[in-house]
Amino acid sequence: MESELKDLNSKPPNGSSSRDDRPLLKSESLASADSIAEMEKKFAAYVRRDIYGTMGRGELPPKEKLLLGFALVTLLPIRVLLAVTVLLFYYLICRVCTLFYAPNREDEQEDYAHMSGWRRAVIVSCGRALSRVMLFIFGFYWITESNSASQEDKQQPEESDRPGVIISNHVSYLDILYHMSSSFPSFVAKRSVARLPLVGLISKCLGCVYVQRESKSSDFKGVSAIVTDRIREAHQNESAPLMMLFPEGTTTNGEFLLPFKTGGFLAKAPVLPVILRYHYQRFSPAWDSISGVRHVIFLLCQFVNFIEVIRLPVYHPSQQEMDDPKLYANNVRRLMASEGNLTLSDIGLAEKRTYHAALNGNNSLPSVLHQKDE
């Protein structure tokens, strides 16, 4: 599931935007890209660099074809069966724990994030354990976790070191499974997720905040307030669930860090930066320019997958950063890029759509994106 989150900042009431959301690369520049190499340089953050090639449709060497064919008839069905079993099992656990319990309802949001007692304990403990089991089924047998090199040298302030939100780079839908297994936080998700079979109830037990991707500015103002309140509550109350945000707003190939949206920094609370890196030899687990179905199939056909997690110290904002959420977001982003050896990129979701349109032979999308502010 690609978390293409919009900025949680509310827009002016008249619907006009104070910033230019149009892609940095205009349709004319796309048309002038007379070679794939030139286009891939412009959209480097979304280019696949594994042997499966662009969109996962590259010509495979004979050895890889044999490995893929063998995995398709042996490994794939076994993993699919196990994954569905785990999903159904956890759904039943959530169903039992939410029986005769009224969910929290606020501003068209519905969740069980503030459930307490044995119900919450069972949901969290089983959710973390089964998320790790799911990663194991997907081939992530070992997860390398480490602290930042500066973790031990950084002198922590005397104030509470509990963050209000986890800030992570976004590479794949697998990011969600890792964070569920690690801290079981609440996410921001598309409103349609709440209506999905099985997954819908699980997302409510996670305490997800739902947002309509193409909703009006008034709806975003409500969502922004909810997220900000949840972040502040998580910072001040140890029993409250942490929030988890992907401020880039979309996934990359894992080598770049896109500009951060400021929604997670409006609460002025400390943040916990976490960097995820997926190492590979054959197929990259990054969900960038490949369809969801094709990605899941190739991922499940790979015998072993690798993930490295780098945890940075809790970042406490200065007074200047608290007064300027954009500065706060940019400073955290630069720190994560430095510690994770990631390249800063100034493109975003609009450029990703432009790149996908070009890959699919549709050059009309860039001009459509330019018209949205008119």
Side-chain angles (χ1 to χ4, degrees):
M1 180 180 63
E2 182 179 3
S3 301
E4 296 179 347
L5 308 180
K6 281 200 171 186
D7 194 348
L8 297 178
N9 271 316
S10 59
K11 297 180 181 179
N14 60 7
S16 62
S17 175
S18 60
R19 63 185 179 86
D20 189 358
D21 289 330
R22 295 177 299 176
L24 301 177
L25 302 173
K26 298 182 180 180
S27 56
E28 301 90 64
S29 64
L30 178 64
S32 65
D34 54 0
S35 68
I36 295 180
E38 183 179 351
M39 185 175 68
E40 289 185 345
K41 183 178 180 180
K42 294 178 179 178
F43 302 99
Y46 308 120
V47 176
R48 295 193 67 81
R49 306 189 186 281
D50 58 12
I51 63 174
Y52 282 75
T54 303
M55 302 181 72
R57 298 177 180 176
E59 180 64 28
L60 300 177
K63 179 181 178 181
E64 185 62 27
K65 290 181 179 179
L66 289 175
L67 290 173
L68 180 60
F70 178 76
L72 281 171
V73 297
T74 56
L75 198 58
L76 178 63
I78 295 174
R79 283 180 166 174
V80 169
L81 178 61
L82 291 175
V84 171
T85 301
V86 170
L87 180 62
L88 284 171
F89 183 51
Y90 188 53
Y91 169 80
L92 292 175
I93 291 175
C94 292
R95 176 59 65 189
V96 170
C97 290
T98 54
L99 282 176
F100 311 112
Y101 191 94
N104 175 56
R105 291 185 175 92
E106 179 183 4
D107 296 333
E108 299 184 3
Q109 303 287 331
E110 179 178 299
D111 64 74
Y112 297 93
H114 296 83
M115 181 183 292
S116 58
W118 67 268
R119 298 171 186 264
R120 181 65 183 174
V122 171
I123 286 177
V124 172
S125 59
C126 291
R128 293 182 63 176
L130 293 178
S131 296
R132 183 63 187 92
V133 171
M134 188 73 82
L135 286 171
F136 188 90
I137 293 172
F138 283 6
F140 294 92
Y141 307 124
W142 304 276
I143 296 179
T144 304
E145 297 181 298
S146 62
N147 293 327
S148 164
S150 61
Q151 177 86 18
E152 295 79 8
D153 301 331
K154 181 179 175 66
Q155 184 177 358
Q156 298 293 345
E158 296 180 358
E159 58 188 299
S160 171
D161 205 40
R162 176 176 169 82
V165 58
I166 301 171
I167 298 296
S168 175
N169 63 319
H170 201 12
V171 184
S172 173
Y173 50 82
L174 298 163
D175 304 346
I176 298 175
L177 277 178
Y178 168 75
H179 287 294
M180 285 180 64
S181 70
S182 175
S183 54
F184 203 79
S186 299
F187 297 85
V188 174
K190 293 185 295 182
R191 189 164 294 170
S192 58
V193 172
R195 299 189 293 268
L196 292 176
L198 306 181
V199 176
L201 177 61
I202 294 175
S203 70
K204 293 176 182 179
C205 290
L206 274 164
C208 287
V209 177
Y210 302 108
V211 58
Q212 188 68 32
R213 185 180 300 172
E214 303 299 336
S215 64
K216 299 178 181 179
S217 59
S218 59
D219 295 330
F220 277 104
K221 183 179 295 185
V223 171
S224 176
I226 293 174
V227 171
T228 300
D229 290 343
R230 292 276 291 271
I231 292 175
R232 287 173 178 161
E233 180 186 13
H235 174 52
Q236 299 168 0
N237 183 2
E238 292 186 0
S239 63
L242 285 172
M243 282 297 300
M244 165 74 234
L245 295 176
F246 300 109
E248 294 172 282
T250 189
T251 55
T252 68
N253 59 14
E255 300 174 8
F256 292 80
L257 202 60
L258 307 181
F260 279 8
K261 302 181 186 301
T262 58
F265 303 89
L266 296 175
K268 305 178 182 180
V271 303
L272 174 62
V274 177
I275 303 166
L276 304 181
R277 305 209 62 172
Y278 294 87
H279 303 286
Y280 63 91
Q281 293 180 340
R282 297 163 49 222
F283 177 76
S284 170
W287 190 21
D288 35 42
S289 61
I290 184 172
S291 69
V293 174
R294 184 181 294 267
H295 187 278
V296 171
I297 291 175
F298 289 162
L299 180 75
L300 294 180
C301 286
Q302 189 154 252
F303 296 93
V304 182
N305 291 296
F306 303 93
I307 180 173
E308 177 189 5
V309 182
I310 304 174
R311 294 179 177 275
L312 277 62
V314 175
Y315 190 105
H316 294 262
S318 64
Q319 185 59 51
Q320 186 179 9
E321 289 170 328
M322 287 191 285
D323 295 337
D324 186 353
K326 187 173 183 180
L327 174 65
Y328 188 6
N330 287 338
N331 288 345
V332 173
R333 174 177 176 247
R334 292 182 181 279
L335 175 65
M336 292 177 64
S338 174
E339 296 291 339
N341 195 26
L342 302 173
T343 302
L344 293 174
S345 173
D346 60 354
I347 62 177
L349 178 57
E351 286 77 22
K352 186 176 188 179
R353 289 173 174 170
T354 301
Y355 179 54
H356 285 187
L359 293 179
N360 288 286
N362 177 16
N363 290 341
S364 63
L365 183 58
S367 59
V368 173
L369 290 173
H370 278 296
Q371 297 172 3
K372 67 180 180 179
D373 289 334
E374 298 177 0

